[in-house]
């Protein structure tokens, strides 16, 4: 009697790309056609674009953490951990579980969607003193930290300490940084009314970026509109400026200014997951070079998409690659799933092509700038489009209900200034969340798969 082994499909990453792929595979494949496995540290998909609203308390953390186990067709095996190396020759993925156990997971087809990590530079003190805004834990921690600065400033009798605690610096003039600064500034502006001992004029927010323009993808007019909204609120926007060094109580800008502050939030872009470097394959600016079908050239059954893949942008043509946005990642996930199924069934794959639908930036309150289908919007119309887009993109009805309820409650009752004490006794800086030193080199992956001991592991 012969045992027939089902093909093993391994998906790495539970972001927009990975979850979109898994959900379509579950719908399109019969249970006996393949075994599905997903590698992710958390059993939820994070709706990353709404993270600034979690940091400002408009949304609760649970609202944007979409459970992976709610699907009616759920049958995917989830390995709680992170992929730290892939041996393409042996078709084995090395995984470090959340208990620090290292396991070898064999596959027949692999979908690489490990996402990205925060881009940092060799700036003295940066990773030791700056907060990131890439994970749910970081957003929740930042909210507690910002409110705690108001509490400590209110309790202090030292004018210098009070002024330092009421200054906040956000680095990064892209969507994440702009929305983070805008949403948190509104939080402090509303919260300070409950602190009669504090002078609201002492609260100062700085948004800096080395680029000459704020959110250049929006175009000059909308970029200037967003900048004007921030300046009217009192946020000091400095372009062509970055950080020279960061300390626990002050930050030095590259233009020579020294800002006393206990709050430095770093949102200056992302880079592809270090997992990509373990493959030893061709990359484009750190992202894995794939063809329009999102298949790795010369490797059968290896697909990559999302932030970690340089997917050709056929809608633009030339050497253009798709930007690392949720809009592309969600659609790429579905196409990759179809191509995996096509490969499994011996059918032809199809290339990925999608014309960008536009951009939305929620600046909190009634302020927003949006560019849907090339139409420039500001104020309430832009806010309606921004929130409507995010709401419709949420994957589950439960998540949509929670987010809509939170928005409604916030609009009617205002902000809540409760400090929960989340991770109050644990460090939560960039170095505590970006585990970039856990990945293996290609040589270590090969030794691990061959059964040899990896030094230092």
């Amino acid at each position: 009697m012969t045992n027939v082994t089902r093909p093993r499909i391994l998906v790495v990453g539970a972001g927009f790309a990975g979850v979109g792929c898994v959900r379509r595979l579950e719908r399109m494949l019969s249970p006996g056609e393949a075994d599905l496995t997903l590698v992710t540290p958390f059993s939820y998909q994070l709706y990353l674009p709404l993270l600034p609203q979690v940091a400002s308390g408009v949304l609760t953390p649970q609202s944007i953490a979409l459970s992976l186990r709610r699907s009616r067709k759920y049958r995917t095996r989830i390995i709680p951990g992170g992929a730290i190396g892939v041996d393409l020759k042996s078709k084995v993925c090395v995984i470090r579980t959340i208990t620090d156990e290292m396991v070898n997971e064999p596959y027949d087809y692999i979908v690489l969607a490990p996402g990205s990590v925060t881009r940092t530079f060799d700036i003295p003190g940066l990773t030791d003193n700056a907060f990131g805004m890439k994970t749910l834990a970081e957003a929740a921690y930042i909210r507690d930290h910002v409110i705690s600065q108001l509490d400590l400033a209110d309790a202090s009798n030292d004018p210098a300490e009070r002024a330092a605690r009421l200054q906040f610096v956000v680095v990064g003039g892209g969507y994440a940084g702009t929305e983070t600064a805008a949403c948190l500034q509104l939080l402090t502006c509303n919260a300070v009314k409950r602190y009669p001992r504090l002078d609201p004029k002492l609260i100062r927010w700085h948004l800096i970026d080395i680029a000459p323009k704020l959110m250049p993808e929006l175009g000059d007019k909308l970029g200037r509109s967003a900048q004007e909204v921030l300046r009217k609120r009192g946020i000091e926007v400095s372009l062509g400026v970055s950080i020279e060094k960061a300390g626990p109580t002050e930050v030095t800008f590259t233009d020579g200014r020294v800002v006393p502050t206990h709050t430095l939030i770093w949102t200056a872009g992302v880079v592809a997951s270090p997992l990509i470097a373990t493959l030893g394959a061709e990359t484009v600016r750190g992202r894995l070079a794939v063809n329009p079908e999102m298949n790795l050239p010369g490797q059968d059954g290896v697909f990559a998409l999302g932030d970690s893949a340089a997917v050709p942008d056929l809608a633009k043509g030339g050497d253009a690659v798709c930007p690392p946005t949720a809009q592309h990642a969600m659609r790429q996930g579905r196409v990759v799933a179809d191509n995996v199924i096509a490969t499994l069934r011996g059918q032809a794959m199809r290339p990925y092509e999608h014309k960008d639908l536009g951009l939305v930036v929620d600046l909190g309150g009634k302020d927003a700038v949006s560019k849907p289908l090339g139409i420039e919007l500001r104020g309430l119309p832009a806010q309606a489009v921004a929130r409507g887009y995010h709401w419709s993109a949420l994957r589950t009805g439960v998540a949509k209900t929670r987010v809509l309820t939170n928005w409604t409650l916030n609009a009617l009752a205002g902000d809540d200034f409760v400090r929960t004490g989340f991770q109050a006794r644990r460090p939560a800086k960039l170095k505590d969340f970006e585990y970039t030193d856990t990945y293996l080199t290609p040589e270590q992956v090969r030794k691990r798969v061959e059964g040899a001991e990896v030094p230092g592991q």
Side-chain angles (χ1 to χ4, degrees):
M1 197 170 181
T2 315
N3 289 326
V4 179
T5 304
R6 289 189 295 269
R8 298 161 296 187
I9 302 174
L10 180 65
V11 179
V12 176
F16 290 103
V19 171
C21 178
V22 167
R23 286 292 174 254
R24 189 160 182 85
L25 288 172
E26 288 177 333
R27 289 195 301 270
M28 303 302 290
L29 288 173
S30 64
E33 229 175 327
D35 290 331
L36 304 178
T37 302
L38 175 64
V39 180
T40 174
F42 310 105
S43 59
Y44 63 77
Q45 176 200 349
L46 177 64
Y47 192 84
L48 201 62
L50 291 178
L51 211 54
Q53 295 191 34
V54 170
S56 62
V58 174
L59 299 176
T60 60
Q62 191 179 8
S63 302
I64 65 169
L66 286 65
S67 173
L68 299 177
R69 301 184 185 275
R70 294 191 68 93
S71 170
R72 292 180 181 178
K73 292 183 178 294
Y74 167 75
R75 66 173 187 274
T76 300
R77 168 183 167 232
I78 296 178
I79 300 178
I84 58 173
V86 178
D87 188 330
L88 297 176
K89 184 178 179 181
S90 300
K91 292 194 171 185
V92 171
C93 179
V94 182
I95 299 167
R96 189 189 298 274
T97 69
I98 57 175
T99 56
D100 269 343
E101 178 188 1
M102 290 177 64
V103 297
N104 292 354
E105 183 68 22
Y107 63 84
D108 297 299
Y109 301 89
I110 188 168
V111 177
L112 297 168
S116 56
V117 296
T118 302
R119 178 181 63 181
T120 58
F121 301 97
D122 190 19
I123 299 173
L126 177 64
T127 58
D128 290 325
N129 297 296
F131 299 101
M133 263 290 288
K134 195 77 169 62
T135 68
L136 197 59
E138 286 174 308
Y141 187 91
I142 284 175
R143 171 176 162 74
D144 269 14
H145 171 80
V146 168
I147 295 174
S148 74
Q149 297 312 297
L150 299 180
D151 289 342
L152 291 166
D154 183 64
S156 175
N157 292 316
D158 182 350
E161 180 191 1
R162 180 176 291 188
R165 293 198 179 278
L166 296 180
Q167 288 211 82
F168 307 89
V169 178
V170 178
V171 183
Y175 306 112
T178 302
E179 290 188 336
T180 296
C183 291
L184 285 173
Q185 186 273 338
L186 273 185
L187 173 68
T188 56
C189 181
N190 293 327
V192 76
K193 299 172 185 176
R194 311 297 176 91
Y195 294 83
R197 296 181 69 246
L198 293 181
D199 182 357
K201 294 178 182 178
L202 288 177
I203 295 180
R204 297 184 63 188
W205 280 86
H206 302 264
L207 175 61
I208 71 172
D209 195 291
I210 196 65
K213 297 179 181 179
L214 198 67
M215 298 180 293
E217 298 88 347
L218 279 174
D220 289 344
K221 289 183 179 180
L222 283 185
R224 285 196 299 268
S225 295
Q227 193 167 333
E228 187 60 27
V229 168
L230 299 182
R231 282 183 169 153
K232 283 183 178 179
R233 289 194 195 165
I235 299 176
E236 185 175 332
V237 179
S238 301
L239 300 175
V241 178
S242 189
I243 295 295
E244 184 175 297
K245 62 180 178 179
T249 59
E250 68 177 27
V251 174
T252 303
F253 293 177
T254 52
D255 62 5
R257 282 180 291 166
V258 178
V259 177
T261 180
H262 294 259
T263 309
L264 172 61
I265 303 173
W266 181 267
T267 63
V270 296
V271 293
S273 166
L275 176 68
I276 298 304
T278 73
L279 275 67
E282 182 185 352
T283 59
V284 178
R285 295 184 180 179
R287 300 167 71 184
L288 193 63
V290 295
N291 56 31
E293 292 75 24
M294 291 171 284
N295 181 230
L296 183 62
Q299 297 286 340
D300 292 333
V302 179
F303 298 85
L305 66 163
D307 290 6
S308 287
V311 180
D313 192 339
L314 299 182
K316 292 183 179 178
D319 296 328
V321 297
C322 297
T325 63
Q327 183 181 150
H328 280 288
M330 286 188 290
R331 290 165 175 81
Q332 288 171 5
R334 294 193 288 268
V335 175
V336 161
D338 290 342
N339 286 343
V340 170
I341 294 170
T343 305
L344 189 65
R345 296 173 178 172
Q347 300 168 350
M349 296 187 292
R350 66 184 176 99
Y352 171 76
E353 184 172 3
H354 169 67
K355 186 176 181 180
D356 203 310
L357 298 178
L359 304 164
V360 295
V361 182
D362 189 334
L363 299 174
K366 298 177 181 179
D367 296 317
V369 288
S370 301
K371 198 175 182 180
L373 302 174
I375 303 171
E376 296 186 349
L377 300 173
R378 300 166 181 79
L380 282 175
Q383 181 70 281
V385 169
R387 294 201 170 182
Y389 174 80
H390 289 316
W391 185 82
S392 64
L394 290 165
R395 188 172 45 80
T396 68
V398 172
K400 289 181 178 181
T401 302
R402 283 181 177 145
V403 166
L404 187 59
T405 301
N406 284 173
W407 279 339
T408 303
L409 186 60
N410 180 261
L412 295 176
D415 293 314
D416 188 2
F417 312 113
V418 173
R419 179 160 52 91
T420 62
F422 181 79
Q423 286 193 335
R425 299 296 177 185
R426 295 183 57 192
K429 302 295 171 49
L430 276 171
K431 65 182 179 65
D432 302 304
F433 285 94
E434 300 287 2
Y435 303 109
T436 53
D437 58 345
T438 64
Y439 293 86
L440 305 180
T441 65
E443 293 75 21
Q444 289 174 323
V445 174
R446 167 55 52 184
K447 289 181 181 179
R448 167 78 192 181
V449 171
E450 290 177 348
E453 183 179 352
V454 181
Q457 303 297 322

